[in-house]
Amino acid sequence: MSSLRATFTLSFAAVAAAVTVLVGFLSYDAAARLVRVDQQTVFAGVVQDLQVEVREQVLEPGDFAQSDPGHAGALDKIVRPSRTDVQVLGPGGAVVDRGHPALPVAAVDRQAADASAAGTLAEHKEVEVGGNWYRVATVALGGGRGAVQVAQEFSDTEDLLNELQQRTVLLVAAVVIASGLFGWWLARRITRRLVRLAGAAEDVARTGRLGIQVPVAGYDEVARLGRSFDRMLGRLAQSEEDQRRLVQDAGHELRTPLTSLRTNISMLRRIDELPPAAREELVADLALESRELTDLVNELVALAAGRSDTEPVRRVDLGELAEDVAVVARRRSGRDIVVRVSGDVEVDGRPTALQRAVSNLVENAVKFDRGGEAVIEVVVAGGLAGAGGVRVEVLDRGPGIGEGDLERVFDRFYRAADARSLPGSGLGLSIVREVAAGHGGVPFAYRRDGGGVVIGFTVGGEDGEGAGGGG
């Protein structure tokens, strides 16, 4: 989790640094370009105005002399708007009026001073004078009368831009450091709950205890993850508890038939000493115990699979499924079993599991209705509670179920006192409950008027109405 926090911090700082550097660079570049272009434009305008003036008038070097304080002519037009330095050259390039500072006179400047055409231009883009840098232009007066040198200092502007650049770099560095600290604080705040959640997961992995309290706060994605993890741990804990109870109950229930089998097997050693009737009883008892053990193991496997059944869900017609179960039950038991269907009884479910549940209900009715004369009814009704659910119930005329047993008939291995002498594992109705829960329904059982019992379950659309007892 520390690496995640570091990743958040570095990512936030990197993005902030990239944005700051980009904005700083673009701002500095725009400002520097604007200042430089503005200075060059002003200087070019001064030179152009000077060229126009010397072409329109016949001017002498003395007209630009700075030593004449009362002269407000051509010199003022150059110096005042542009703050430029002016130096006047006479014929042959001789300095008539020195500038401040004095400007160097090169060969091209002398040629301009001797030029016959007024406005002839000689330019120097970079000239060092007294440690400062200037751009210099020499404009000929024409007729070999001399020339005027105009200079503009730009080194002070570059110094200003360099200072601006340094300040921009310092600002960028400060923003990067601040964004790094803020990113670290934000990453710590964001990952704090993830750290606690990871700690809870590590505790579960280390100790194997599923009852660890998972810290959950807020409503964002981290909170949703925490709640989902907490629910997952709860389900795992419940599954572990169900598995433990199943193993304990299974061990208890398996102990009786295994003990009986061991006793009968030990009797086989003296089978020759037993009378024929005792031999037949022993063999029949062995066959019964082995069959009971087989049924118990099969139902344990079916119950252990429970809701983890991987059978795909598809559309199932519970009316047809109940009729198929009834056909098999008639053939096995010879009993009269009637199926009644009403409404839309198609649901989305797992066919094998649903068939197992209905079969367990019918087998339960056959087993307890020992008279063999009454009709066993299988009722499948659709449109449960107006929500598209289906109700499946099996009605018999057996001895019924005591009031104290109605609430427990769906518990694993539970068998009423008057049913303990009958074959069975006590798991059939538990499987019915698991199947109903896996299909969004509930099981139900109630006593039937005139004797017998009604046991069934609902599939989907259940709001509690379907589990009520009837008369």
Side-chain angles (χ1 to χ4, degrees), residues 63-65 68-82 86:
D63 294 328
F64 296 91
D68 184 4
H71 194 301
L75 181 61
D76 289 342
K77 295 179 181 179
I78 301 173
V79 175
R80 285 178 181 175
S82 61
V86 178

Side-chain angles (χ1 to χ4, degrees), residues 271 274-287:
I271 192 170
L274 300 177
R279 294 179 189 177
E280 292 181 2
E281 183 180 354
L282 177 61
V283 172
D285 193 31
L286 281 172

Side-chain angles (χ1 to χ4, degrees), residues 194-213:
L194 286 175
V195 170
R196 292 200 297 264
L197 189 58
E202 290 171 354
D203 289 342
V204 172
R206 184 179 64 256
T207 64
R209 293 185 293 109
L210 300 176
I212 292 178
Q213 183 67 30

Side-chain angles (χ1 to χ4, degrees), residues 28-29 31-33 35-36 133 154-171:
Y28 171 78
D29 183 69
R33 188 184 301 275
V35 171
R36 289 178 180 134
W133 291 90
F154 63 84
S155 59
D156 56 346
T157 302
E158 293 299 324
D159 292 341
L160 178 63
L161 292 177
N162 289 335
E163 184 178 357
L164 176 62
Q165 186 180 44
Q166 292 174 1
R167 291 187 178 184
T168 302
V169 171
L170 292 176
L171 178 62

